[in-house]
Amino acid sequence: MSETEIIFGANIDPHARLDITMTGSDAGMAIEEGFITTTLPYGLNVKSGRKFLPIGRVNSVHPHALIYADRPNALVNILGPDVFIGEGVFVDRPFFVGDSMQAFTA
């Protein structure tokens, strides 16, 4: 086994949730993602902490969960071989179009 992930999640109160993803490998333990999600009026969600950046479809997926061995060449050529993880505040507003859910994220 090259890497192990442990995922913790808990509701802090009725309007906030904490999610932490820890990874362990030969190099040691690290926090891959850790963020608090808060629900605000008008359907706004605020996530604060460390998270995979929503750049395209592939970057927000853990590398081991991809259905192919390597990241797509177009993404690697434009953004480089690394997965982009950002620290900060993310605001999104989900909305529904027919049977699908879309989201505006800033």
Side-chain angles (χ1 to χ4, degrees):
M1 205 170 8
S2 63
E3 182 180 90
T4 302
E5 283 189 358
I6 301 170
I7 300 171
F8 301 99
N11 290 328
I12 299 170
D13 65 28
H15 303 286
R17 176 176 175 78
L18 174 67
D19 292 295
I20 296 175
T21 303
M22 294 180 61
T23 60
S25 65
D26 294 338
M29 297 285 291
I31 294 180
E32 192 170 56
E33 287 186 305
F35 56 92
I36 294 175
T37 305
T38 304
T39 305
L40 298 176
Y42 305 107
L44 291 174
N45 296 319
V46 177
K47 295 180 182 179
S48 176
R50 180 178 170 89
K51 185 162 176 49
F52 284 114
L53 295 177
I55 301 172
R57 289 187 125 177
V58 176
N59 193 65
S60 60
V61 177
H62 291 255
H64 62 82
L66 296 173
I67 59 171
Y68 28 80
D70 297 323
R71 295 169 49 94
N73 285 336
L75 188 65
V76 171
N77 291 340
I78 294 171
L79 301 175
D82 297 328
V83 175
F84 287 99
I85 298 176
E87 296 173 355
V89 178
F90 307 92
V91 178
D92 69 9
R93 166 77 165 77
F95 65 96
F96 296 92
V97 178
D99 293 336
S100 68
M101 193 276 295
Q102 307 295 321
F104 286 122
T105 303

